[in-house]
Amino acid sequence: MSGASALASGGSALVSGGSVTGVAFAVAMGAGLAGAVAGTWLPRRVRPLGAGVGTAVSGAAGAVAGVAAVAGHPWSAWLPDVLPLAGARLTVDALGGLFIAVTGVVGVCAGVYGIAYCRPHRSHALDGRAVQAVTPLFLAAMLLVPAAASVSTFLLAWELMAVGSLVLVLAEHRHRASVREAGLWYAVMTQLGFVVLLGGLAGFAAAAHGESFARLREAGGALSPGVRAAVFAAVFAGCASKAGVVPLHVWLPRAHPEAPAHVSALMSAAMVNLGVYGIVRVGFDLLGGGPAWWWLMVLAAGAGSALYGILQATVATDLKRLLAYSTCENMGLVLIGVGAAGLLGHAGARTLAALAMTAALLHLVNHSAFKTVLFLAAGSVVRAAGTGDLDALGGLRSRMPVTTVLFGLGALGASALPLGNGFVSEWLLLQGLVKALGSGGTAVAVTMPVAVAVVALTAGLAVATFVKAFGVGFLARARSVKAERAEESPPAMLAGTALAAAACVVLALGPVAVLPGIAGAVRVMLPGPDAVTGPVTLRLHGVASTLSPLWIAVALVVVLAVLRMTVTRRARRRARLWDCGMGPLSPRMEYTATSFAEPLQRVFDNVLAPETDLRVTPLEESSYLVESVTYRARLGDRIEHRLYRPVIAAAGWFGDVARGLGNGSVHRYLGYGFCAFTGVLIVLAVTR
Amino acid sequence: MTGTFYVQSLDLACGALVLAAVLVLWRRDLRAIVRLFAAQGVALAALVAVLGVHAHDAGLVAVAAGVGVLRGLLLPLLLRRAMRAGGAGRETEPLVNVAASLVVAALLALLAYAVTRPVVALEPSPATHAAPVAVTVVLIGFFVLVTRRRALAQVVGFLLVDNGITALAFLTTSGVPLAVELGVSLDVLLAVLVLRVLTTRMHTAFGGTDLDDLRELRD
C-alpha cells in the first residue's frame, strides 16, 4: 500500500482491497509521471527512450493492475487531498480492470514502438518536448478513467485524456496544415462531448444527492424515469462521440491519419474503448439497466456505425483513414452487442444478455489487439514510404518483410475470418443474436434479424477492405519510387508491433483464456449467476455445433502441409508472366485501391454518393479526336457533408453577425454593460 | 447626536452626494468636473463621519477622515495633474446632450428607488432609507462612463461608480471594517494611477484623448 499512500501526499487516505492491484496501479501512475518528467528534461537524443520506457512501464503496471482486479482482487482508494473540494475516489473492479488491462497492453506496445518511431527520420521528427512529455501522461489518464469512482474524478480523468490526445494529434502541426484542421475538428467534437457528458453526470449526481459511484449505484434505480432517460441519453451522446460512433465520428477519420502512429494506436485501440466503458458503466452498473428504447437506440447507433464505417473503409485509399473508419465499424459492432445485451436483459433473458455482453467485450479486446498491430504497422509503412496512400504503395513485401507479416496478422484479425482473432468474437456475437430470436418480445424479434444481417454484411465488407489494404498495399509491385525505396523499420518498432501481434495470436487461438476475465466484468454489469465462463460451447437450436478456433487452426495447418507436400512436389521453375505479348507488365497496370473498391462503390453508390468528374478535351481541328481525358473522383464523408456543413455554416454566419456587435468603440461596449445592468435592475424592480 | 439632527445631516450629505453626481452630467468643463468630484468626495466623507459619530465608532470616523483625504484631495489632485498633461480642458460634445442626460439621471434615480425598496423594507432606518441615493450615484456614474468622450471624464465616471458603491456599503451595513475600506481605497488609487498613465500615453501617441478614435486598434 506504500505506493497508494504516497499518492495521497500524507493525507488521511483510505485504501482497501487487493494490495497487488493497488501497488501496480500506483506504479502505473508513477511511471506515467516519471515518463512525462523524462520527456521534459532529458536531452533530445535520449528523450524518446525515456518517455517510451516510462509509457511502456506505466502500461505494463496498468496491465498487471487490471489483470489482478479481473482475477478477483478489486481495490479502492479515497484520497481526500488530491483534488480540492471533492477528493479523488478510485476503484479498480472487474469491469474497470478489464479496460485498464487492455489500455495497459496497448500502452506497452505503443511505448516500445515510440522509442524508435520518435527518433528523427528524414523530415519526420517527433522528439519535441510536448509530444514526449504528454504521451505517458495521456496513457496514465486513460488508465485513470476506468479506475475513477466518483463523478468529479471521472470527469477530470476524462478531460485529461481528451486534452492529452489533442496535444498529441497536433504533434506535427508545423509540417502539415491538415493537422491543424484535424486538431480543430477533434477539439470541437471532444469538448462538445465532454460538455454533454458533464451535464449528464452532474444531473445524475444532483438527483442522487452524492457524486461517488457507490451513491449513484444506490440511487440510480430509484430515480424518476425522466431523469434516468436524460442522464443516459447525455452520457450516451458524450461517450459515443469519444467512441467514434456515426454520426459523431467525423473527428476520427481526420485525427487518426494526422496523429503520430503510436498515438493513433493509443487513441484507436484504447481511447475509443473508454467511450464504450462510459456507456456500460453508467447504463448497466450505475443506472441498473433501462427500458427497451435505450438499448434499441444503442443498437441502432451501433448498426449504423458498423455499416457506415466499413463502407467508408472499403472505399478509402489512405491506409490510416481506412483503419480509422474500421474503428468506427468495430465500435459499432461492440455497441450492437451492448444494445442486444441491454435489450435481452430488459426482456428477462439474462443468460443471453450475458452472452451478448461477453461477445461485445471480447470483440472490444480483439479490436484493441488487431487495431494496435494495424496502426503501428501502418505507421511503419508511412514512415518508410513517406505516404499512406494505398494507390502509391505496393511491393512492400520484399522491402519490409516483417512489417508485412505483422500487418497481415492484424488484417486477418480485422477481417473476421477464421484464424483471426476478430472471427471469434464476431462469431460469438452472431450466435448470441441468432439465439436471441426466440426470447423476448416483439422488439427483440424485429431487431435481432436486422442486427444479424448488419453484422454479416459488415463482416463481408471487412474482408474486402482488408484484402484491399493488405493486397494492394503490401503485395504486387511498388507503384511509386518512394514505396520502392522503403526500408524495414528499426527493431524497437517491430518489437512493439510484434508484441501486439502476439496478443492477436493468443486471442485467436485461445480466446478461452480471457473469457473468465470478461465474465467477471460482465457480472459487474449484469449481476446474476449466469455469466458465461469456462470453455465456450454454443449449441444452435437443433444442430449441435462446437467451434474451437484452436482446432480449426490445427486442421488448417495440417491440410495446408499435406496439400503442399502432395500437390507442389514438382520442382519450381521460374518463367515470365504471360502478358499477352504486350511487353513487360508495369506497376501502372496493377489493381489500385481505388479500382479494387470500384465494384463495391458502384453497389453502394446511393450511400456513398461519390463525386466523379469526367472531362474530355477534343482537338481543335476535329471534335472526334481526343486530346486529353481527365477523370477526377472524390469520395467525401457524406454524413459530414450533409449534417455538419450546414451547422458549421450557421455558426460561421452567427460569428460574422456577432462581429458587428463589437466594432471596437469603447463607448459601445460600455453601453452594452450599462443597458444590461439597468435592464436587469428594471426587471428586478418590476417583478419583485 | 440627537435623532433629528442625525437624520438631517445624513440627508444633507446624501443630497450633496447625488447633487455632485448630477452636476457632473451638467458641466462640460473638465476642471469643473474634477472640482465637483472633489466636492462629492468631501460629501462622502461627511456621510461616513455622520454615521460614525451616530454609532459612537471612532474607527468609522477615522475611516471617514481617510476617505476624505483620498477622494477629496488625493484623487482630484491626480486628475488635475493628468488634465494638465492631457491638454484640452473642455469636454467635446457628449454622445447624449446635457438636457437628455439630466432627464436620464432622473429616470435612473427613479429606477434606483424602485430597485432598493426590498433593501429598505428589510430594516427601515434613516441610513437604509438613504441607500437609493447611493445606487443613483452608481447608475449616474455608469451613465457618465458610457456617454462622455474624454478619457478624463470617463475616469471621473468610474470614480463616481466607486463613490456610490462605497456610500452604499456604509449605508447598508453597520460600518465597513477598516481593512476592507483600506483595500478598496488602495485599489481605486491604483486604478486611477494606471488610468492617468494611460491617458498621458494616449495623448502623446494620438494627440487627443477621445476614446472613439481608438476603434482601429481592435483586431
Side-chain angles (χ1 to χ4, degrees):
Chain A
M1 227 53 46
S2 58
S5 33
L7 259 182
S9 66
S12 54
L14 268 178
V15 177
S16 64
S19 61
V20 182
T21 319
V23 170
F25 193 74
V27 168
M29 292 296 119
L33 289 179
V37 171
T40 316
W41 292 108
L42 286 182
R44 190 172 276 271
R45 203 166 35 81
V46 286
R47 208 180 285 154
L49 180 68
V53 168
T55 311
V57 170
S58 174
V64 170
V67 168
V70 165
H73 304 287
W75 170 79
S76 62
W78 155 232
L79 311 167
D81 294 342
V82 173
L83 292 180
L85 296 179
R89 260 176 220 283
L90 299 174
T91 299
V92 184
D93 61 357
L95 175 60
L98 179 70
F99 284 86
I100 290 177
V102 171
T103 308
V105 173
V106 175
V108 173
C109 302
V112 172
Y113 183 91
I115 293 174
Y117 180 75
C118 295
R119 291 236 175 86
H121 178 258
R122 293 188 197 163
S123 66
H124 153 124
L126 288 167
D127 52 2
R129 281 212 172 81
V131 178
Q132 291 305 317
V134 172
T135 311
L137 280 186
F138 174 46
L139 180 66
M142 284 199 296
L143 292 171
L144 203 56
V145 169
S150 71
V151 169
S152 51
T153 316
F154 181 81
L155 289 174
L156 180 80
W158 188 272
E159 185 62 3
L160 268 180
M161 168 179 89
V163 173
S165 55
L166 177 60
V167 170
L168 293 174
V169 165
L170 286 169
E172 290 175 286
H173 70 98
R174 289 217 180 87
H175 304 284
R176 297 190 301 273
S178 52
V179 175
R180 292 191 282 276
E181 201 197 333
L184 195 60
W185 273 92
Y186 179 49
V188 170
M189 290 305 290
T190 190
Q191 290 306 308
L192 282 182
F194 179 72
V195 167
V196 176
L197 191 64
L198 175 71
L201 287 180
F204 193 5
H209 302 296
E211 61 128 23
S212 74
F213 279 4
R215 176 82 198 104
L216 297 184
R217 199 170 290 134
E218 230 171 79
L223 296 179
S224 75
V227 172
R228 280 161 53 83
V231 167
F232 184 74
V235 169
F236 179 61
C239 290
S241 85
K242 184 60 62 183
V245 172
V246 174
L248 304 173
H249 68 291
V250 281
W251 61 271
L252 222 135
R254 283 169 190 274
H256 283 330
E258 302 301 345
H262 62 309
V263 175
S264 297
L266 278 173
M267 285 172 71
S268 194
M271 193 181 73
V272 291
N273 291 351
L274 299 179
V276 176
Y277 169 76
I279 294 169
V280 297
R281 174 65 87 187
V282 174
F284 285 100
D285 186 24
L286 300 184
L287 288 170
W293 70 265
W294 290 13
W295 307 113
L296 281 175
M297 177 175 79
V298 173
L299 212 153
S305 191
L307 268 184
Y308 190 79
I310 198 61
L311 267 178
Q312 285 287 350
T314 330
V315 295
T317 53
D318 184 276
L319 188 52
K320 290 181 86 179
R321 194 175 156 87
L322 179 148
L323 295 178
Y325 274 119
S326 153
T327 302
C328 287
E329 173 231 338
N330 284 293
M331 284 300 115
L333 290 176
V334 171
L335 284 192
I336 289 180
V338 170
L343 205 56
L344 291 166
H346 175 71
R350 305 198 64 86
T351 314
L352 280 173
L355 176 63
M357 186 52 90
T358 308
L361 291 184
L362 184 61
H363 191 66
L364 188 133
V365 174
N366 280 330
H367 168 248
S368 294
F370 66 68
K371 201 43 72 69
T372 310
V373 178
L374 290 173
F375 261 119
L376 294 183
S380 301
V381 169
V382 173
R383 184 173 181 271
T387 176
D389 188 358
L390 286 172
D391 288 346
L393 291 174
L396 297 175
R397 189 186 46 161
S398 52
R399 307 286 308 176
M400 312 174 71
V402 183
T403 306
T404 305
V405 169
L406 294 175
F407 190 92
L409 275 173
L412 188 63
S415 54
L417 287 177
L419 292 192
N421 55 347
F423 165 73
V424 183
S425 44
E426 287 202 30
W427 177 254
L428 199 59
L429 183 60
L430 266 180
Q431 294 299 337
L433 295 176
V434 168
K435 277 198 78 177
L437 273 177
S439 50
T442 328
V444 175
V446 174
T447 321
M448 292 306 152
V450 179
V452 168
V454 168
V455 175
L457 178 59
T458 308
L461 288 173
V463 174
T465 304
F466 283 95
V467 165
K468 179 184 83 173
F470 187 65
V472 175
F474 289 83
L475 305 182
R477 285 162 63 182
R479 289 183 205 79
S480 66
V481 184
K482 283 180 186 169
E484 228 165 42
R485 291 190 190 146
E487 275 169 28
E488 187 56 282
S489 308
M493 284 170 68
L494 294 179
T497 321
L499 217 58
C504 276
V505 172
V506 169
L507 285 169
L509 298 183
V512 178
V514 295
L515 275 181
I518 290 176
V522 171
R523 218 171 293 130
V524 173
M525 289 181 278
L526 301 159
D530 20 46
V532 182
T533 43
V536 182
T537 311
L538 283 171
R539 291 204 172 73
L540 291 174
H541 298 295
V543 198
S545 74
T546 311
L547 207 69
S548 162
L550 187 58
W551 288 114
I552 297 182
V554 170
L556 213 62
V557 168
V558 169
V559 167
L560 280 179
V562 169
L563 272 180
R564 195 178 168 87
M565 276 164 63
T566 51
V567 179
T568 60
R569 188 168 285 173
R570 276 178 297 170
R572 275 194 193 179
R573 192 162 59 87
R574 279 192 177 274
R576 224 180 99 193
L577 202 61
W578 170 243
D579 52 17
C580 308
M582 296 265 291
L585 293 170
S586 81
R588 291 272 292 158
M589 298 171 184
E590 290 170 12
Y591 259 104
T592 63
T594 314
S595 55
F596 187 86
E598 210 274 339
L600 280 169
Q601 183 186 316
R602 244 166 223 273
V603 172
F604 294 102
D605 197 46
N606 288 335
V607 184
L608 296 167
E611 295 163 27
T612 50
D613 182 21
L614 185 66
R615 199 167 294 162
V616 182
T617 318
L619 276 178
E620 267 177 39
E621 292 81 27
S622 160
S623 57
Y624 297 106
L625 296 175
V626 175
E627 189 187 24
S628 68
V629 179
T630 41
Y631 174 78
R632 221 176 257 136
R634 219 190 128 267
L635 259 171
D637 191 319
R638 206 179 178 198
I639 290 185
E640 181 189 315
H641 200 71
R642 286 283 173 85
L643 205 65
Y644 286 79
R645 294 287 164 203
V647 175
I648 293 171
W653 174 83
F654 182 76
D656 282 344
V657 171
R659 271 169 70 88
L661 289 174
N663 65 349
S665 157
V666 177
H667 284 105
R668 187 182 275 216
Y669 297 156
L670 283 168
Y672 291 144
F674 183 69
C675 291
F677 183 48
T678 44
V680 169
L681 286 186
I682 288 170
V683 169
L684 260 178
V686 171
T687 52
R688 291 291 293 272
Chain B
M1 198 181 269
T2 58
T4 339
F5 181 60
Y6 162 62
V7 174
Q8 280 181 350
S9 48
L10 194 69
D11 286 353
L12 182 66
C14 286
L17 201 70
V18 78
L19 188 66
V22 173
L23 288 179
V24 166
L25 278 180
W26 181 49
R27 295 302 301 264
R28 289 193 23 207
D29 183 9
L30 287 179
R31 252 165 303 168
I33 287 178
V34 173
R35 260 201 307 278
L36 281 168
F37 168 68
Q40 193 183 40
V42 173
L44 181 62
L47 173 68
V48 179
V50 167
L51 286 171
V53 170
H54 177 67
H56 302 295
D57 186 348
L60 208 52
V61 177
V63 169
V67 166
V69 169
L70 177 73
R71 291 165 201 260
L73 293 176
L74 195 54
L75 294 180
L77 193 71
L78 285 172
L79 290 177
R80 236 170 254 138
R81 276 197 185 171
M83 199 158 56
R84 225 169 292 142
R90 273 189 80 79
E91 168 70 72
T92 42
E93 186 61 33
L95 291 172
V96 177
N97 66 29
V98 173
S101 296
L102 292 176
V103 173
V104 169
L107 289 177
L108 290 177
L110 216 65
L111 178 64
Y113 271 93
V115 156
T116 42
R117 252 183 327 157
V119 180
V120 177
L122 215 57
E123 200 199 307
S125 73
T128 49
H129 268 112
V133 173
V135 177
T136 311
V137 173
V138 172
L139 290 173
I140 291 178
F142 208 157
F143 188 67
V144 170
L145 206 55
V146 174
T147 55
R148 293 307 185 257
R149 287 177 195 269
R150 291 276 172 205
L152 199 78
Q154 293 225 317
V155 175
V156 172
F158 166 75
L159 288 172
L160 285 189
V161 172
D162 191 69
N163 276 352
I165 292 171
T166 312
L168 191 63
F170 281 110
L171 287 172
T172 49
T173 60
S174 53
V176 180
L178 188 63
V180 175
E181 180 52 34
L182 213 61
V184 173
S185 299
L186 277 179
D187 271 359
V188 172
L189 190 59
L190 207 65
V192 170
L193 284 173
V194 170
L195 287 170
R196 204 197 124 204
V197 172
L198 214 62
T199 318
T200 319
R201 285 282 170 87
M202 257 173 73
H203 191 260
T204 46
F206 307 109
T209 52
D210 191 336
L211 286 180
D212 277 346
D213 294 341
L214 290 186
R215 66 172 64 179
E216 292 309 319
L217 294 174
R218 175 172 48 134
D219 285 326

